[in-house]
Amino acid sequence: MGLVNKDISNGIGIITLNNPRKLNALSTSLINDLCVCLEEMIEENARVVIIRAPAGSKVFSAGHDVAELPTNGRDPLTYNDPLRLAVRTIEHFPAPVIAMVEGSVWGGACELVMSCDMILASEDSHFAITPAKLGVPYNISGVQNFMITGGVPLCKEMLFTAQPFPVNRLVEAGVVNHAVPVEQLEDLVMQIANQIVKNSPLVISLLKEELRLLSAAHNLSPETFERIQGLRRQVYDSRDYQEGIRAFFEKRPPEFKGS
Ligand code: LCV
């Protein structure tokens, strides 16, 4: 596979994001390769899947590929956006998906990692949720995912500051299951994966789907949905949205005007 590597043995699948030239940015092509890998893992009866970056990575993923963010008045994070597809594919995958994190995780990659069933990270990893830095009106299900996983106080601090947070803050909030010295990370992940593989795949698959449905059981009235979408449109139609993306590529701080 082009931008991801795949390995499976003894029921344990390992998917390695492998586009270091683009810091594993979640481009359409990387996400497509990831989703194809996950589909193949189902066919090959993987009992657990580990998603990782190559050992020693300084950046786990730089998040959404900013070059693929539309600047022509289109919603940047619609239902069919590659990031949304990847999150749903992981959430619906019929077995546990473990995020094994080394390095820094940026923007939408934080949501991708949080959509996994467990996060095990090296103790020097960092997580930055960056829509406010880029001027991006994050979408409803993404914000809900952050809220459900991280809790509102931590999410507000991460979303409003758009700064990298050390992994211990996410461990304290219960977002990250374990943060260990990097040399212990792979052994711990494999230890947990081997414990999972010994148990009933049918029960685990049922439990995962039960937990997904119960935790997502927040119904939005059509009026509420439309109101939020209207607020989001005001942002992605704004000059600030264009400025955020332009500033990124010009490698300068954005000058947001609030319009
Ligand atoms: C395209 C990139 C990227 C990238 N896309 O290396 O959550 S939301 O709403 O914001 C959502 C829409 C989202 O996920 O947006 C993306 C959020 N990601 C970020 O804010 C991270 C942006 N990247 C960085 O802050 C730095 O690149 C890090 C800290 C990851 C690594 O810094 P480092 O100095 O090691 P460079 O910044 O020099 O990046 C190397 C090349 O990768 C490109 C970047 O433009 C540069 O390209 P050039 O060499 O052509 O200049 N790049 C980095 N991230 N997300 N391209």
Side-chain angles (χ1 to χ4, degrees):
M1 195 61 61
L3 301 180
V4 299
N5 298 333
K6 187 188 93 173
D7 178 57
I8 182 166
S9 63
N10 304 318
I12 300 175
I14 299 177
I15 296 176
T16 305
L17 308 182
N18 200 20
N19 188 13
R21 189 179 58 77
K22 292 212 63 171
L23 303 175
N24 290 333
L26 301 179
S27 59
T28 302
S29 44
L30 186 140
I31 295 294
N32 286 347
D33 289 353
L34 172 62
C35 292
V36 166
C37 257
L38 285 165
E39 291 303 323
E40 290 170 354
M41 290 284 181
I42 295 176
E43 289 154 21
E44 295 166 32
N45 296 315
R47 297 280 183 86
V48 60
V49 172
I50 299 158
I51 296 179
R52 62 170 298 170
S57 294
K58 294 284 178 269
V59 177
F60 176 85
S61 170
H64 201 295
D65 187 335
V66 178
E68 293 185 358
L69 289 172
T71 53
N72 57 355
R74 279 184 44 241
D75 187 335
L77 291 174
T78 58
Y79 184 80
N80 295 316
D81 179 86
L83 171 61
R84 308 275 18 109
L85 177 65
V87 166
R88 287 198 303 274
T89 304
I90 291 170
E91 289 173 338
H92 289 86
F93 189 81
V97 179
I98 298 175
M100 177 177 154
V101 174
E102 279 184 68
S104 54
V105 187
W106 297 83
C110 286
E111 191 194 347
L112 182 95
V113 162
M114 290 177 178
S115 69
C116 294
D117 299 290
M118 286 177 224
I119 305 172
L120 286 84
S122 65
E123 59 189 6
D124 59 354
S125 56
H126 288 76
F127 297 74
I129 306 180
T130 50
K133 182 175 79 175
L134 268 177
V136 172
Y138 216 77
N139 69 301
I140 296 171
S141 61
V143 171
Q144 185 180 70
N145 284 342
F146 285 136
M147 188 178 81
I148 291 170
T149 309
V152 174
L154 175 65
C155 282
K156 282 186 175 178
E157 188 182 351
M158 292 188 79
L159 283 163
F160 297 164
T161 64
Q163 291 302 305
F165 278 57
V167 67
N168 66 298
R169 289 289 309 277
L170 281 81
V171 172
E172 286 160 13
V175 176
V176 171
N177 298 74
H178 300 278
V180 296
V182 65
E183 60 273 8
Q184 297 173 19
L185 181 58
E186 189 158 346
D187 285 350
L188 178 60
V189 169
M190 292 308 291
Q191 178 192 324
I192 290 175
N194 279 302
Q195 288 166 351
I196 292 171
V197 164
K198 290 179 187 143
N199 295 326
S200 159
L202 292 178
V203 170
I204 289 173
S205 185
L206 165 72
L207 291 169
K208 175 169 175 174
E209 184 62 358
E210 282 176 318
L211 287 163
R212 183 184 73 80
L213 292 170
L214 292 170
S215 59
H218 301 274
N219 49 8
L220 281 184
S221 69
E223 193 257 341
T224 303
F225 175 81
E226 287 166 0
R227 168 168 162 64
I228 295 173
Q229 287 296 82
L231 292 170
R232 292 186 62 244
R233 182 176 190 111
Q234 287 170 11
V235 176
Y236 66 77
D237 273 352
S238 70
R239 283 191 296 273
D240 272 3
Y241 174 67
Q242 307 283 339
E243 163 63 10
I245 294 172
R246 193 167 37 245
F248 175 80
F249 285 112
E250 292 172 4
K251 301 187 183 297
R252 60 174 172 80
E255 291 174 27
F256 292 127
K257 300 276 195 282
S259 64

